[in-house]
Amino acid sequence: MEFKESHNLIIKNVSRFIDLTDLEKQKYISLLKEVNIKKRDFLLQAGDVARYEYFITKGCLKTYSIDEEGKQHISMFGIEDYWTTDMASFISGEPSHFFVEALEDTELLAMPRTKYDLLFQEIPKFERFYRILYQRSLMSYIRRSNLNISMTAEERYIRFMERYPHIVRRIKQKDLAAYIGVTPEFISMIKLKIKKTS
Amino acid sequence: MEFKESHNLIIKNVSRFIDLTDLEKQKYISLLKEVNIKKRDFLLQAGDVARYEYFITKGCLKTYSIDEEGKQHISMFGIEDYWTTDMASFISGEPSHFFVEALEDTELLAMPRTKYDLLFQEIPKFERFYRILYQRSLMSYIRRSNLNISMTAEERYIRFMERYPHIVRRIKQKDLAAYIGVTPEFISMIKLKIKKTS
DNA sequence: TCCTAAACTTAAACTAGTTTATTTTTTTTC
DNA sequence: GAAAAAAAATAAACTAGTTTAAGTTTAGGA
């Protein structure tokens, strides 16, 4: 069975955890909506309710909140083959505290909250898919926040550079700083220090 | 159908998200193992593999890691009606980086990793239960780490005191500090400051 | 119930990371 | 491809939270 490129991508992602028949694939795809946004546009803004769970087929996004002093805190970057939304808002139906903004022109597939129950009803295997997906997200979330707590900013910077060089290449240093949890000035200091010692 | 007190508790917890027949309840309970540990004993230690997911029926626990300088970082407290384990180790089968230690004599029900697949096979509804459970854990994890990032230690302290007074009553200030992410001395300073201002 | 270890308090010196301000470099836009 | 805007670098003054150290209170085991 032939699908378009973006649909192949999402089916490949889902098929890591569950096997779908051709009919189920078709059914699943029929629930998805295509969304394209330009660089600097928002997929979600604080105050909005997250009505979709998005799968990224092309591009790059950042998810962040803004604190009382107006500072951005980036909680994740999203690139091809990853999922993004504000889970808290998506589930609870309450307004989000997050912004999801495109760092490049971006293409996504959106699963509407309104179709979520229908999906589980028609293809119960998806309970399993999401059980595993959320279990793994939880796992990496726990790992990350544990590391963040026990490492200095310099260690966090070095670790991110080593583990996600493909993301580093696509983002501004300013955004890296907002993810690491320091000021851009401090990143400059770290780089200077590393240059001197090596 | 009659079950013992602890089994009633876990069934009530599971029944928030899925309905079980009496037969399914019995089957589920037959997979669980009762575990009792004394204050200061460990449910899990760094280096061990987490072979169980635990439901707390009585008592209080802390989950923490120890960094290179020997400092404890508490990531959660567990009390009655909550679940605990190191999800990362439980899923991956790799050794854990966490300690789970009893702060009081504690009674638990343990679901073995070895029975996990059997559970999903025999009662597929549990895929749904865990999908929802993990989705909600993820949600509160995201909320918490977002708040921690954008608040000062003082704000985090005040918030915890307000939201979890029933937990505060059962733990040492030292452990509260390790959860908030500051030294016990700094907690003393915060208390002093609050006393002065009010 | 007493004794001892652990927990908590207070305070002064210290440090990782921030703030503010200026200059240089890179990116965007027309 | 030049002008304007945004991002990055450098450096000095500053602050939230740490460290060290000494004294006080509390808890729990023999």
Side-chain angles (χ1 to χ4, degrees):
Chain A
M1 185 156 290
E2 288 292 317
F3 299 108
K4 60 158 72 173
E5 191 47 33
S6 62
H7 290 156
N8 277 331
L9 244 179
I10 199 169
I11 284 174
K12 202 179 151 199
N13 186 283
V14 167
S15 301
R16 289 179 304 160
F17 305 142
I18 55 173
D19 291 320
L20 294 176
T21 65
D22 281 355
L23 211 69
E24 287 168 337
K25 287 177 188 171
Q26 249 176 327
K27 179 76 207 168
Y28 177 52
I29 285 170
S30 76
L31 300 177
L32 301 170
K33 196 178 134 187
E34 292 184 33
V35 176
N36 295 308
I37 62 168
K38 292 241 161 252
K39 187 171 174 172
R40 273 182 289 276
D41 274 357
F42 292 92
L43 204 54
L44 179 75
Q45 287 188 265
D48 295 351
V49 172
R51 304 200 181 283
Y52 301 90
E53 194 172 37
Y54 301 94
F55 177 77
I56 308 161
T57 56
K58 187 163 183 295
C60 185
L61 304 142
K62 62 174 170 180
T63 301
Y64 61 95
S65 60
I66 296 185
D67 68 18
E68 295 103 40
E69 284 116 56
K71 273 187 225 150
Q72 275 189 30
H73 298 272
I74 297 179
S75 50
M76 62 176 284
F77 295 106
I79 58 169
E80 295 79 13
D81 205 32
Y82 281 83
W83 295 84
T84 197
T85 192
D86 171 13
M87 188 50 60
S89 171
F90 182 76
I91 301 310
S92 69
E94 289 166 22
S96 177
H97 300 113
F98 292 91
F99 296 82
V100 181
E101 183 183 335
L103 299 175
E104 303 171 358
D105 293 353
T106 296
E107 297 171 15
L108 309 113
L109 294 172
M111 165 63 67
R113 178 67 233 249
T114 52
K115 302 282 174 62
Y116 215 54
D117 294 326
L118 185 69
L119 174 68
F120 293 129
Q121 203 181 300
E122 303 226 336
I123 319 177
K125 277 178 215 171
F126 270 93
E127 296 278 12
R128 181 178 177 83
F129 171 71
Y130 279 107
R131 192 260 298 170
I132 299 174
L133 185 69
Y134 294 146
Q135 200 172 37
R136 292 168 72 118
S137 306
L138 196 54
M139 193 171 115
S140 56
Y141 232 93
I142 291 169
R143 276 203 182 125
R144 187 190 153 202
S145 52
N146 191 241
L147 283 165
N148 282 1
I149 279 167
S150 60
M151 297 196 300
T152 63
E154 184 177 341
E155 289 167 331
R156 259 143 45 211
Y157 170 77
I158 291 168
R159 189 185 161 91
F160 192 82
M161 295 295 279
E162 283 172 359
R163 285 175 75 108
Y164 306 105
H166 57 296
I167 293 181
V168 174
R169 256 176 261 126
R170 293 167 78 169
I171 63 174
K172 291 275 151 66
Q173 178 172 305
K174 198 180 111 168
D175 283 336
L176 207 178
Y179 179 87
I180 295 291
V182 293
T183 55
E185 290 83 354
F186 195 64
I187 295 276
S188 287
M189 267 188 51
I190 292 172
K191 284 165 101 172
L192 192 67
K193 192 187 149 197
I194 291 173
K195 198 162 54 174
K196 275 182 189 161
T197 17
S198 66
Chain B
M1 184 155 292
E2 287 292 316
F3 299 108
K4 60 158 75 174
E5 192 45 36
S6 62
H7 290 155
N8 276 332
L9 243 178
I10 200 169
I11 284 174
K12 201 178 154 200
N13 185 283
V14 167
S15 300
R16 290 179 305 160
F17 305 142
I18 56 173
D19 291 318
L20 294 176
T21 65
D22 281 353
L23 212 70
E24 286 167 338
K25 286 177 189 173
Q26 249 175 327
K27 179 77 209 166
Y28 177 51
I29 285 171
S30 76
L31 300 177
L32 300 172
K33 196 177 133 189
E34 290 184 35
V35 176
N36 294 307
I37 61 168
K38 293 240 161 252
K39 187 169 174 175
R40 273 182 289 276
D41 274 358
F42 292 93
L43 204 55
L44 179 74
Q45 287 188 265
D48 296 351
V49 172
R51 305 201 181 282
Y52 300 90
E53 196 171 35
Y54 299 95
F55 177 76
I56 307 161
T57 57
K58 186 162 183 298
C60 185
L61 304 141
K62 63 174 172 179
T63 300
Y64 60 95
S65 60
I66 296 186
D67 68 17
E68 296 104 41
E69 284 117 55
K71 272 187 225 150
Q72 276 188 30
H73 299 273
I74 297 180
S75 51
M76 63 176 283
F77 295 106
I79 57 169
E80 294 81 13
D81 206 32
Y82 281 82
W83 296 84
T84 195
T85 193
D86 172 13
M87 189 46 61
S89 171
F90 182 76
I91 300 312
S92 69
E94 288 166 21
S96 176
H97 300 113
F98 291 92
F99 297 81
V100 181
E101 183 184 336
L103 299 176
E104 303 170 359
D105 294 353
T106 296
E107 298 171 15
L108 310 112
L109 294 172
M111 166 61 66
R113 180 64 233 250
T114 53
K115 302 283 174 62
Y116 215 54
D117 293 327
L118 184 69
L119 173 70
F120 293 129
Q121 203 180 301
E122 302 227 336
I123 319 176
K125 277 178 214 169
F126 271 93
E127 295 279 13
R128 181 177 177 83
F129 172 70
Y130 279 108
R131 192 261 297 168
I132 299 175
L133 184 69
Y134 294 145
Q135 199 172 38
R136 291 168 71 119
S137 305
L138 196 54
M139 196 171 111
S140 57
Y141 230 93
I142 291 170
R143 276 203 183 124
R144 184 188 157 205
S145 53
N146 193 240
L147 283 165
N148 282 1
I149 278 168
S150 60
M151 298 197 297
T152 63
E154 184 177 341
E155 288 167 331
R156 259 143 43 212
Y157 170 78
I158 291 167
R159 189 185 160 89
F160 193 82
M161 296 294 280
E162 283 172 358
R163 285 175 74 110
Y164 307 104
H166 57 298
I167 294 180
V168 174
R169 258 177 261 127
R170 293 167 76 169
I171 62 174
K172 292 274 151 65
Q173 178 173 303
K174 197 181 113 169
D175 283 337
L176 208 178
Y179 179 87
I180 297 291
V182 293
T183 56
E185 290 84 354
F186 196 64
I187 296 274
S188 285
M189 267 188 51
I190 292 171
K191 284 166 100 174
L192 192 69
K193 193 187 149 196
I194 290 172
K195 198 161 51 173
K196 275 183 190 161
T197 18
S198 64

